[in-house]
Amino acid sequence: LIAFNMEWLVPDAPKATVQQCLSFLRFWLSSIAIHTHHDERGGSAPIMLVGTHKDTVKTAAAHEKISEVLYNAFGDSPAWPYVNPNRLGQVTTGRGLLWFFP
């Protein structure tokens, strides 16, 4: 479980704040993947990204943008296949895929 503040990844967040948050997430994704990797059975521990501050980042549109930022930043990471998606996330069209749990 990796928790992050969703306010740091909203579209109007300062670029330095976004980069700092992504750096934090990159560290923890890599750390979990490295320290839980199992050579004999392959794979790594499942990872769930949890966004905090839903009381201030409420809209489905904001959650979709944050999900997009996460995917664009980490979609090619060796740890990404182990991130459990939120397949029932609230999106602008109803229920859909988010790469984190708000």
Side-chain angles (χ1 to χ4, degrees):
L1 208 67
I2 304 173
F4 67 95
N5 183 339
M6 291 190 293
E7 293 173 321
W8 297 346
L9 293 180
V10 293
D12 59 346
K15 189 172 183 172
T17 301
V18 172
Q19 291 308 314
Q20 185 177 7
C21 182
L22 293 176
S23 178
F24 164 84
L25 291 170
R26 185 173 293 108
F27 169 82
W28 284 109
L29 284 168
S30 298
S31 182
I32 291 170
I34 289 168
H35 294 290
T36 65
H37 180 75
H38 196 281
D39 287 328
E40 294 167 9
R41 65 179 175 180
S44 182
I47 301 169
M48 295 178 75
L49 299 174
V50 177
T52 64
H53 293 80
K54 188 175 179 182
D55 58 325
T56 57
V57 183
K58 299 176 183 181
T59 69
H63 296 164
E64 284 180 292
K65 291 290 185 186
I66 292 167
S67 186
E68 184 179 326
V69 168
L70 293 170
Y71 182 79
N72 289 340
F74 305 116
D76 60 353
S77 165
W80 197 251
Y82 308 106
V83 172
N84 287 339
N86 180 358
R87 297 186 191 282
L88 296 175
Q90 186 67 43
V91 297
T92 54
T93 58
R95 294 285 181 186
L97 178 77
L98 293 174
W99 286 105
F100 71 102
F101 292 82

